[in-house]
Amino acid sequence: MIDLPFTLTALRAAYREGIKPEEVVREVYRRIEAVDDPGIFIHLIETDAVIAEARALGAYDSKKPLFGIPFAIKDNIDAAGLPTTAACPAFAYTAEKDAFVVERLRAAGALLIGKTNLDQFATGLVGVRTPYPVPKNAIDPAIVPGGSSSGSAVAVAHGMVSFALGTDTAGSGRVPAALNNIVGLKPSLGALSATGMVPACRTLDTISVFALTVDDAYDVFREAAVFDDGDAYARRFEMPPLTAAPPAFRLGIPSADSIEFCGDDDQASSFTHAIEALQHLGAEVTPLDFSDLYELAGLLYEGAWVAERLTVIERLLAERPEQIHPVTRDIIVRGSAMSAADAFRDAYRLQALKRRILPALGSVDLLAVPSMPTFYTVADLEADPVTPNSRLGTYTNFVNLLDLCGIAVPTGPRRDGRPGSVTLLARAGRDGLLATLAKSLHHAASPGLGATGWHLPPLDPPMPAVTADEIAIAVCGAHMAGLPLNRELTDRGARFLLAAETAPSYCLFALPGGPPARPGMIRVAAGEGSRVQLELWAMPKTALGAFVDNIPPPLGLGTIALADGSSAKGFLCESAGLTGATDISAYGGWRRYLDHQAC
């Protein structure tokens, strides 16, 4: 038994200290056996096969950002050689290759454990619409696990895996997260490739990420967010690393006369406390009328988008309707009665609602909404399989129709002990802002992580401010902390600020000569470069002249674009000085390159 939190931070530290990936894999399967819930996984990969893959990773490799990290995927996402069922055995097929996102994660060193249960064909927010055993909610088995990504959320909440992939069309990456006390990141549409995913509504789907912490969810998302030219709906976004939260931001919330909790006073109180926490973090709150948003949300299951779901299973529905879950069948079959005229009418209605809604959304930086208005039990769904599901989508169904990104974040237990959760929403491409604020909110609440009993590690201290007498200097090589030329900074009174990354428009080269060995970084055209790890140091302006005078060619100081959109003075290399140099951009930074050379 390994008493180790399966957060990325904890596992990376354990690997640096010598633990082996196969030991972690054995602990994964021990935890799965200990929880003993047959509803979580539809297909669990054989232990020996995953151990063999873990051993093949070899010694810890820091240039693989997900080295030895165990994960699971929802069973409407392909993994090579494994069945994809979408929770319908009659639909099942064996995938010939990994989904694009799964391939990215495995290339980064992540270890796939298995494929998880779901509401059939990703149609539902409750997690009980499956022919397989229903996964048990990790916090309270009486409560529904949430859907459609039920198994993925429960597996993460129990600490079986570090993260899991779900999908999100109407809230399937957010509602299960809220019900199981974990983070659910729903990316901007098109940021993650849908190649190798069984669609629900192809125009509105996205793969999503479940994790115990915001940092973990965002790290996984950034690793997977690579443009896929083979996905017709893919879009290019720059996703910067998390930085300090802005000192002030405009926050929209549902107005008092338009907010809905279905009579759940504990949920109302929990949301109020979360908004107060956001105000302490700098939120300037603006109540907004959500009536149009609720009307828009109704389109997803009452309008022509139901017919889009029909395109996935039309043949199965016609030939073997009895093989489809009865609730799922009753929902999707309505699409067969819809016409092209209905689709156009609903498209016009969507556009008219957006015209009314978007000006209000443009007046704020982001929205905060309850992740769901209230809780429902398994017994509630047995009595009424439709109404509770619809209510769970109150604050989620409109999100993808408006092209918003979102993240559900735990906010601490309610008065009755059930998990509190808030979802932050913003315009497409603002995933980094949401994750930054979600991280601050998560730490302010400091809840337990899922159902594990683990707790959030403390936040790193904020970056010290650069004074008027200092200048921030970015270093990417031998001047970094602990490396041979760092004394050229410290002897001049420079102080460390933080680790950072460049914008993805640089190449890094190992220059000939030395000692000491040095890299050279050059800027290239947009889309042709990579992010490069660096450090920011604050140097007294009075020492800058002597420092610059000591820099040898082909190096010099220039302006470096950073991943968070800011810039700093730092080391750049003349392209004429690259004769005999080796391109090491693939390592992502000088330290990773040195680690590789030392192996």
Side-chain angles (χ1 to χ4, degrees), residues 204 295-308 334-335 337-354 401:
L204 298 176
E295 183 179 346
L296 178 63
L299 283 177
L300 197 58
Y301 279 102
E302 296 167 12
W305 284 270
V306 175
E308 190 172 11
R334 297 200 309 266
M338 294 178 178
S339 67
D342 292 323
F344 278 108
R345 278 190 285 267
D346 285 337
Y348 302 152
R349 188 176 171 204
L350 169 62
Q351 195 63 25
L353 285 168
K354 287 170 69 175
L401 286 166

mmCIF file of all heavy atoms in Angstrom, residues 204 295-308 334-335 337-354 401:
data_model
loop_
_atom_site.group_PDB
_atom_site.id
_atom_site.type_symbol
_atom_site.label_atom_id
_atom_site.label_comp_id
_atom_site.label_asym_id
_atom_site.label_seq_id
_atom_site.Cartn_x
_atom_site.Cartn_y
_atom_site.Cartn_z
ATOM 1 N N LEU A 204 -21.659 20.825 -30.525
ATOM 2 C CA LEU A 204 -21.605 21.397 -29.172
ATOM 3 C C LEU A 204 -20.754 20.590 -28.201
ATOM 4 O O LEU A 204 -20.620 20.979 -27.036
ATOM 5 C CB LEU A 204 -23.023 21.507 -28.589
ATOM 6 C CG LEU A 204 -24.012 22.408 -29.332
ATOM 7 C CD1 LEU A 204 -25.388 22.317 -28.682
ATOM 8 C CD2 LEU A 204 -23.534 23.848 -29.355
ATOM 9 N N GLU A 295 -34.223 30.301 -20.965
ATOM 10 C CA GLU A 295 -34.951 30.004 -22.197
ATOM 11 C C GLU A 295 -34.017 29.362 -23.221
ATOM 12 O O GLU A 295 -34.376 28.389 -23.893
ATOM 13 C CB GLU A 295 -35.567 31.278 -22.767
ATOM 14 C CG GLU A 295 -36.398 31.030 -24.014
ATOM 15 C CD GLU A 295 -37.030 32.286 -24.583
ATOM 16 O OE1 GLU A 295 -37.044 33.316 -23.878
ATOM 17 O OE2 GLU A 295 -37.505 32.241 -25.737
ATOM 18 N N LEU A 296 -32.804 29.901 -23.312
ATOM 19 C CA LEU A 296 -31.819 29.329 -24.225
ATOM 20 C C LEU A 296 -31.486 27.893 -23.837
ATOM 21 O O LEU A 296 -31.373 27.010 -24.693
ATOM 22 C CB LEU A 296 -30.561 30.191 -24.210
ATOM 23 C CG LEU A 296 -29.390 29.730 -25.083
ATOM 24 C CD1 LEU A 296 -29.788 29.733 -26.543
ATOM 25 C CD2 LEU A 296 -28.189 30.634 -24.863
ATOM 26 N N ALA A 297 -31.329 27.630 -22.541
ATOM 27 C CA ALA A 297 -30.999 26.283 -22.064
ATOM 28 C C ALA A 297 -32.047 25.272 -22.506
ATOM 29 O O ALA A 297 -31.727 24.115 -22.812
ATOM 30 C CB ALA A 297 -30.873 26.283 -20.543
ATOM 31 N N GLY A 298 -33.299 25.710 -22.569
ATOM 32 C CA GLY A 298 -34.364 24.796 -22.964
ATOM 33 C C GLY A 298 -34.244 24.295 -24.387
ATOM 34 O O GLY A 298 -34.769 23.230 -24.732
ATOM 35 N N LEU A 299 -33.539 25.048 -25.228
ATOM 36 C CA LEU A 299 -33.387 24.621 -26.622
ATOM 37 C C LEU A 299 -32.625 23.309 -26.764
ATOM 38 O O LEU A 299 -32.830 22.568 -27.720
ATOM 39 C CB LEU A 299 -32.646 25.699 -27.420
ATOM 40 C CG LEU A 299 -33.419 26.949 -27.838
ATOM 41 C CD1 LEU A 299 -32.495 27.924 -28.546
ATOM 42 C CD2 LEU A 299 -34.589 26.579 -28.745
ATOM 43 N N LEU A 300 -31.727 23.038 -25.812
ATOM 44 C CA LEU A 300 -30.812 21.916 -25.999
ATOM 45 C C LEU A 300 -31.540 20.579 -26.043
ATOM 46 O O LEU A 300 -31.175 19.685 -26.810
ATOM 47 C CB LEU A 300 -29.763 21.913 -24.881
ATOM 48 C CG LEU A 300 -28.520 21.072 -25.140
ATOM 49 C CD1 LEU A 300 -27.799 21.518 -26.405
ATOM 50 C CD2 LEU A 300 -27.570 21.158 -23.952
ATOM 51 N N TYR A 301 -32.571 20.419 -25.225
ATOM 52 C CA TYR A 301 -33.300 19.151 -25.214
ATOM 53 C C TYR A 301 -34.717 19.267 -25.770
ATOM 54 O O TYR A 301 -35.378 18.265 -25.998
ATOM 55 C CB TYR A 301 -33.355 18.577 -23.795
ATOM 56 C CG TYR A 301 -32.089 17.842 -23.419
ATOM 57 C CD1 TYR A 301 -31.138 18.427 -22.599
ATOM 58 C CD2 TYR A 301 -31.839 16.560 -23.905
ATOM 59 C CE1 TYR A 301 -29.964 17.756 -22.257
ATOM 60 C CE2 TYR A 301 -30.673 15.880 -23.577
ATOM 61 C CZ TYR A 301 -29.743 16.488 -22.753
ATOM 62 O OH TYR A 301 -28.589 15.820 -22.428
ATOM 63 N N GLU A 302 -35.170 20.503 -25.983
ATOM 64 C CA GLU A 302 -36.512 20.686 -26.529
ATOM 65 C C GLU A 302 -36.481 21.080 -27.997
ATOM 66 O O GLU A 302 -37.500 21.033 -28.684
ATOM 67 C CB GLU A 302 -37.253 21.766 -25.728
ATOM 68 C CG GLU A 302 -37.482 21.379 -24.271
ATOM 69 C CD GLU A 302 -37.927 22.565 -23.427
ATOM 70 O OE1 GLU A 302 -38.269 23.624 -24.018
ATOM 71 O OE2 GLU A 302 -37.936 22.440 -22.191
ATOM 72 N N GLY A 303 -35.327 21.495 -28.487
ATOM 73 C CA GLY A 303 -35.209 21.965 -29.860
ATOM 74 C C GLY A 303 -34.567 20.948 -30.778
ATOM 75 O O GLY A 303 -34.440 19.757 -30.464
ATOM 76 N N ALA A 304 -34.101 21.446 -31.917
ATOM 77 C CA ALA A 304 -33.609 20.571 -32.979
ATOM 78 C C ALA A 304 -32.286 19.899 -32.654
ATOM 79 O O ALA A 304 -31.867 19.001 -33.391
ATOM 80 C CB ALA A 304 -33.470 21.376 -34.271
ATOM 81 N N TRP A 305 -31.625 20.318 -31.555
ATOM 82 C CA TRP A 305 -30.369 19.646 -31.198
ATOM 83 C C TRP A 305 -30.604 18.196 -30.757
ATOM 84 O O TRP A 305 -29.684 17.399 -30.760
ATOM 85 C CB TRP A 305 -29.640 20.452 -30.133
ATOM 86 C CG TRP A 305 -28.979 21.650 -30.730
ATOM 87 C CD1 TRP A 305 -27.711 21.730 -31.237
ATOM 88 C CD2 TRP A 305 -29.572 22.926 -30.947
ATOM 89 N NE1 TRP A 305 -27.468 22.981 -31.745
ATOM 90 C CE2 TRP A 305 -28.596 23.748 -31.578
ATOM 91 C CE3 TRP A 305 -30.823 23.477 -30.671
ATOM 92 C CZ2 TRP A 305 -28.856 25.070 -31.937
ATOM 93 C CZ3 TRP A 305 -31.074 24.798 -31.021
ATOM 94 C CH2 TRP A 305 -30.092 25.579 -31.647
ATOM 95 N N VAL A 306 -31.834 17.851 -30.409
ATOM 96 C CA VAL A 306 -32.154 16.443 -30.142
ATOM 97 C C VAL A 306 -31.983 15.624 -31.420
ATOM 98 O O VAL A 306 -31.520 14.485 -31.390
ATOM 99 C CB VAL A 306 -33.586 16.307 -29.583
ATOM 100 C CG1 VAL A 306 -33.965 14.835 -29.425
ATOM 101 C CG2 VAL A 306 -33.715 17.020 -28.251
ATOM 102 N N ALA A 307 -32.332 16.218 -32.564
ATOM 103 C CA ALA A 307 -32.157 15.515 -33.845
ATOM 104 C C ALA A 307 -30.681 15.300 -34.142
ATOM 105 O O ALA A 307 -30.319 14.320 -34.814
ATOM 106 C CB ALA A 307 -32.820 16.316 -34.958
ATOM 107 N N GLU A 308 -29.815 16.178 -33.645
ATOM 108 C CA GLU A 308 -28.383 15.976 -33.840
ATOM 109 C C GLU A 308 -27.921 14.714 -33.111
ATOM 110 O O GLU A 308 -27.062 13.969 -33.606
ATOM 111 C CB GLU A 308 -27.606 17.197 -33.360
ATOM 112 C CG GLU A 308 -26.142 17.160 -33.747
ATOM 113 C CD GLU A 308 -25.402 18.450 -33.435
ATOM 114 O OE1 GLU A 308 -25.954 19.315 -32.734
ATOM 115 O OE2 GLU A 308 -24.252 18.575 -33.889
ATOM 116 N N ARG A 334 -37.478 11.575 -30.292
ATOM 117 C CA ARG A 334 -38.218 12.794 -30.641
ATOM 118 C C ARG A 334 -37.575 13.512 -31.827
ATOM 119 O O ARG A 334 -38.233 14.242 -32.564
ATOM 120 C CB ARG A 334 -38.288 13.747 -29.441
ATOM 121 C CG ARG A 334 -39.029 13.199 -28.239
ATOM 122 C CD ARG A 334 -39.474 14.305 -27.305
ATOM 123 N NE ARG A 334 -38.423 15.228 -26.939
ATOM 124 C CZ ARG A 334 -37.669 15.130 -25.855
ATOM 125 N NH1 ARG A 334 -37.875 14.108 -25.022
ATOM 126 N NH2 ARG A 334 -36.751 16.021 -25.582
ATOM 127 N N GLY A 335 -36.282 13.289 -32.009
ATOM 128 C CA GLY A 335 -35.602 13.936 -33.120
ATOM 129 C C GLY A 335 -36.099 13.483 -34.473
ATOM 130 O O GLY A 335 -35.993 14.226 -35.463
ATOM 131 N N ALA A 337 -39.041 13.200 -35.449
ATOM 132 C CA ALA A 337 -40.233 13.944 -35.861
ATOM 133 C C ALA A 337 -39.903 15.374 -36.269
ATOM 134 O O ALA A 337 -40.787 16.117 -36.696
ATOM 135 C CB ALA A 337 -41.258 13.956 -34.726
ATOM 136 N N MET A 338 -38.634 15.758 -36.161
ATOM 137 C CA MET A 338 -38.247 17.132 -36.468
ATOM 138 C C MET A 338 -37.832 17.266 -37.922
ATOM 139 O O MET A 338 -37.283 16.337 -38.522
ATOM 140 C CB MET A 338 -37.109 17.568 -35.543
ATOM 141 C CG MET A 338 -37.545 17.664 -34.095
ATOM 142 S SD MET A 338 -36.186 18.120 -32.999
ATOM 143 C CE MET A 338 -37.046 18.186 -31.420
ATOM 144 N N SER A 339 -38.074 18.432 -38.471
ATOM 145 C CA SER A 339 -37.774 18.693 -39.877
ATOM 146 C C SER A 339 -36.638 19.690 -40.009
ATOM 147 O O SER A 339 -36.206 20.310 -39.028
ATOM 148 C CB SER A 339 -39.021 19.262 -40.573
ATOM 149 O OG SER A 339 -39.306 20.559 -40.043
ATOM 150 N N ALA A 340 -36.165 19.859 -41.239
ATOM 151 C CA ALA A 340 -35.151 20.880 -41.494
ATOM 152 C C ALA A 340 -35.692 22.259 -41.159
ATOM 153 O O ALA A 340 -34.958 23.132 -40.671
ATOM 154 C CB ALA A 340 -34.716 20.812 -42.959
ATOM 155 N N ALA A 341 -36.976 22.467 -41.387
ATOM 156 C CA ALA A 341 -37.587 23.754 -41.033
ATOM 157 C C ALA A 341 -37.516 23.995 -39.529
ATOM 158 O O ALA A 341 -37.277 25.119 -39.079
ATOM 159 C CB ALA A 341 -39.031 23.796 -41.520
ATOM 160 N N ASP A 342 -37.719 22.927 -38.743
ATOM 161 C CA ASP A 342 -37.598 23.052 -37.289
ATOM 162 C C ASP A 342 -36.186 23.478 -36.911
ATOM 163 O O ASP A 342 -35.996 24.314 -36.015
ATOM 164 C CB ASP A 342 -37.923 21.717 -36.607
ATOM 165 C CG ASP A 342 -39.381 21.326 -36.732
ATOM 166 O OD1 ASP A 342 -40.234 22.232 -36.680
ATOM 167 O OD2 ASP A 342 -39.657 20.130 -36.874
ATOM 168 N N ALA A 343 -35.195 22.894 -37.575
ATOM 169 C CA ALA A 343 -33.806 23.224 -37.273
ATOM 170 C C ALA A 343 -33.528 24.691 -37.558
ATOM 171 O O ALA A 343 -32.867 25.387 -36.765
ATOM 172 C CB ALA A 343 -32.863 22.332 -38.073
ATOM 173 N N PHE A 344 -34.040 25.198 -38.682
ATOM 174 C CA PHE A 344 -33.818 26.606 -38.992
ATOM 175 C C PHE A 344 -34.548 27.508 -38.003
ATOM 176 O O PHE A 344 -34.006 28.534 -37.565
ATOM 177 C CB PHE A 344 -34.263 26.911 -40.421
ATOM 178 C CG PHE A 344 -33.241 26.558 -41.449
ATOM 179 C CD1 PHE A 344 -33.410 25.471 -42.290
ATOM 180 C CD2 PHE A 344 -32.081 27.304 -41.577
ATOM 181 C CE1 PHE A 344 -32.462 25.137 -43.238
ATOM 182 C CE2 PHE A 344 -31.114 26.981 -42.514
ATOM 183 C CZ PHE A 344 -31.299 25.895 -43.353
ATOM 184 N N ARG A 345 -35.777 27.130 -37.641
ATOM 185 C CA ARG A 345 -36.513 27.955 -36.679
ATOM 186 C C ARG A 345 -35.766 28.050 -35.348
ATOM 187 O O ARG A 345 -35.682 29.121 -34.744
ATOM 188 C CB ARG A 345 -37.928 27.401 -36.487
ATOM 189 C CG ARG A 345 -38.913 27.835 -37.548
ATOM 190 C CD ARG A 345 -40.330 27.453 -37.174
ATOM 191 N NE ARG A 345 -40.564 26.028 -37.361
ATOM 192 C CZ ARG A 345 -41.060 25.503 -38.472
ATOM 193 N NH1 ARG A 345 -41.352 26.279 -39.506
ATOM 194 N NH2 ARG A 345 -41.254 24.193 -38.579
ATOM 195 N N ASP A 346 -35.203 26.912 -34.910
ATOM 196 C CA ASP A 346 -34.456 26.933 -33.656
ATOM 197 C C ASP A 346 -33.141 27.690 -33.787
ATOM 198 O O ASP A 346 -32.690 28.341 -32.836
ATOM 199 C CB ASP A 346 -34.210 25.502 -33.170
ATOM 200 C CG ASP A 346 -35.469 24.869 -32.591
ATOM 201 O OD1 ASP A 346 -36.357 25.622 -32.168
ATOM 202 O OD2 ASP A 346 -35.555 23.631 -32.582
ATOM 203 N N ALA A 347 -32.520 27.635 -34.954
ATOM 204 C CA ALA A 347 -31.311 28.422 -35.182
ATOM 205 C C ALA A 347 -31.620 29.915 -35.121
ATOM 206 O O ALA A 347 -30.847 30.706 -34.559
ATOM 207 C CB ALA A 347 -30.695 28.065 -36.531
ATOM 208 N N TYR A 348 -32.770 30.318 -35.682
ATOM 209 C CA TYR A 348 -33.163 31.722 -35.611
ATOM 210 C C TYR A 348 -33.430 32.131 -34.156
ATOM 211 O O TYR A 348 -33.070 33.237 -33.735
ATOM 212 C CB TYR A 348 -34.424 31.970 -36.439
ATOM 213 C CG TYR A 348 -34.323 31.596 -37.899
ATOM 214 C CD1 TYR A 348 -35.459 31.215 -38.610
ATOM 215 C CD2 TYR A 348 -33.100 31.619 -38.572
ATOM 216 C CE1 TYR A 348 -35.387 30.862 -39.946
ATOM 217 C CE2 TYR A 348 -33.016 31.264 -39.909
ATOM 218 C CZ TYR A 348 -34.166 30.883 -40.589
ATOM 219 O OH TYR A 348 -34.085 30.528 -41.911
ATOM 220 N N ARG A 349 -34.087 31.232 -33.427
ATOM 221 C CA ARG A 349 -34.404 31.527 -32.020
ATOM 222 C C ARG A 349 -33.118 31.660 -31.202
ATOM 223 O O ARG A 349 -32.982 32.549 -30.367
ATOM 224 C CB ARG A 349 -35.281 30.404 -31.455
ATOM 225 C CG ARG A 349 -35.835 30.685 -30.073
ATOM 226 C CD ARG A 349 -36.756 29.546 -29.674
ATOM 227 N NE ARG A 349 -37.174 29.625 -28.281
ATOM 228 C CZ ARG A 349 -37.567 28.583 -27.571
ATOM 229 N NH1 ARG A 349 -37.566 27.374 -28.130
ATOM 230 N NH2 ARG A 349 -37.943 28.728 -26.316
ATOM 231 N N LEU A 350 -32.156 30.764 -31.475
ATOM 232 C CA LEU A 350 -30.863 30.846 -30.795
ATOM 233 C C LEU A 350 -30.194 32.189 -31.074
ATOM 234 O O LEU A 350 -29.694 32.858 -30.151
ATOM 235 C CB LEU A 350 -29.958 29.702 -31.267
ATOM 236 C CG LEU A 350 -28.476 29.779 -30.854
ATOM 237 C CD1 LEU A 350 -28.324 29.742 -29.344
ATOM 238 C CD2 LEU A 350 -27.688 28.636 -31.495
ATOM 239 N N GLN A 351 -30.181 32.607 -32.313
ATOM 240 C CA GLN A 351 -29.515 33.855 -32.665
ATOM 241 C C GLN A 351 -30.191 35.052 -32.009
ATOM 242 O O GLN A 351 -29.512 35.994 -31.549
ATOM 243 C CB GLN A 351 -29.484 34.010 -34.184
ATOM 244 C CG GLN A 351 -28.512 35.074 -34.682
ATOM 245 C CD GLN A 351 -27.057 34.745 -34.338
ATOM 246 O OE1 GLN A 351 -26.704 33.586 -34.157
ATOM 247 N NE2 GLN A 351 -26.235 35.775 -34.241
ATOM 248 N N ALA A 352 -31.519 35.036 -31.960
ATOM 249 C CA ALA A 352 -32.244 36.138 -31.333
ATOM 250 C C ALA A 352 -31.951 36.209 -29.831
ATOM 251 O O ALA A 352 -31.770 37.304 -29.267
ATOM 252 C CB ALA A 352 -33.744 35.972 -31.568
ATOM 253 N N LEU A 353 -31.893 35.053 -29.176
ATOM 254 C CA LEU A 353 -31.575 35.035 -27.749
ATOM 255 C C LEU A 353 -30.149 35.497 -27.503
ATOM 256 O O LEU A 353 -29.872 36.237 -26.549
ATOM 257 C CB LEU A 353 -31.795 33.629 -27.190
ATOM 258 C CG LEU A 353 -33.260 33.226 -26.982
ATOM 259 C CD1 LEU A 353 -33.370 31.720 -26.713
ATOM 260 C CD2 LEU A 353 -33.865 34.002 -25.818
ATOM 261 N N LYS A 354 -29.220 35.068 -28.348
ATOM 262 C CA LYS A 354 -27.828 35.501 -28.192
ATOM 263 C C LYS A 354 -27.715 37.017 -28.336
ATOM 264 O O LYS A 354 -26.938 37.670 -27.626
ATOM 265 C CB LYS A 354 -26.931 34.795 -29.219
ATOM 266 C CG LYS A 354 -26.696 33.328 -28.915
ATOM 267 C CD LYS A 354 -26.025 32.589 -30.052
ATOM 268 C CE LYS A 354 -24.604 33.011 -30.257
ATOM 269 N NZ LYS A 354 -23.933 32.183 -31.294
ATOM 270 N N LEU A 401 -24.060 26.382 -26.054
ATOM 271 C CA LEU A 401 -24.813 27.127 -27.063
ATOM 272 C C LEU A 401 -24.310 28.564 -27.182
ATOM 273 O O LEU A 401 -24.447 29.193 -28.236
ATOM 274 C CB LEU A 401 -26.304 27.123 -26.719
ATOM 275 C CG LEU A 401 -27.040 25.794 -26.959
ATOM 276 C CD1 LEU A 401 -28.398 25.811 -26.270
ATOM 277 C CD2 LEU A 401 -27.200 25.518 -28.448
#
